Amino acid sequence: MDDGVNGTSLEAVRLKIDRVDRQLVRLLAARKGLVETAARIKRHPRYVVDADRNEAVLEHVRRCAREFGLPQAFAERVWRFQTELWVRHQLDLMVRESGEVPYAGNRPASPGQALRTR
């Protein structure tokens, strides 16, 4: 099946997308290992969120987005979402490894519930 764009078939484009997706998953797995190492260094939930670091990461992402022609708003939205997921992952890891239940306000959070962060 030819989509009429430069003689490239939809199937060929989908194969290329699958290859890129595989690379993205491999890179996310590598990032996961680094995030877990950082969590072990931080050692306490209060150190998980670093607003200054988060802003520096977002600025770096914006520069990379400009460099590679990706809309900055899109890149920033993806990174904010992934940062939220990595924070939750770090908190969950800390809870699993310490056996302690984190506190959210004056009430103990359930073991599977991550702390709310700003």
Side-chain angles (χ1 to χ4, degrees):
M1 173 174 138
D2 191 312
D3 65 1
V5 179
N6 298 325
T8 303
S9 71
L10 182 57
E11 289 81 11
V13 171
R14 286 179 174 165
L15 282 173
K16 290 178 182 179
I17 289 171
D18 289 347
R19 286 187 203 118
V20 169
D21 287 347
R22 180 175 173 79
Q23 292 173 344
L24 288 170
V25 171
R26 181 180 51 79
L27 291 171
L28 286 170
R31 194 177 203 287
K32 175 184 172 282
L34 295 168
V35 164
E36 290 174 350
T37 298
R40 289 182 183 97
I41 293 168
K42 293 175 186 179
R43 298 178 54 175
H44 195 280
R46 75 173 145 244
Y47 301 119
V48 170
V49 177
D50 180 340
D52 292 336
R53 171 63 180 155
N54 289 349
E55 189 52 43
V57 168
L58 285 173
E59 184 52 40
H60 176 73
V61 166
R62 288 184 205 106
R63 282 193 309 273
C64 291
R66 283 191 301 270
E67 178 183 348
F68 294 111
L70 183 67
Q72 291 178 48
F74 178 87
E76 185 171 336
R77 188 170 181 189
V78 168
W79 254 260
R80 285 186 187 279
F81 179 69
Q82 109 168 311
T83 297
E84 179 182 328
L85 295 175
W86 291 127
V87 164
R88 288 179 186 175
H89 182 70
Q90 283 188 338
L91 292 170
D92 289 345
L93 180 66
M94 288 176 179
V95 168
R96 280 194 313 272
E97 289 189 356
S98 72
E100 296 178 21
V101 177
Y103 283 85
N106 293 329
R107 297 186 338 246
S110 65
Q113 178 184 7
L115 295 176
R116 291 190 67 109
T117 56
R118 294 180 196 205

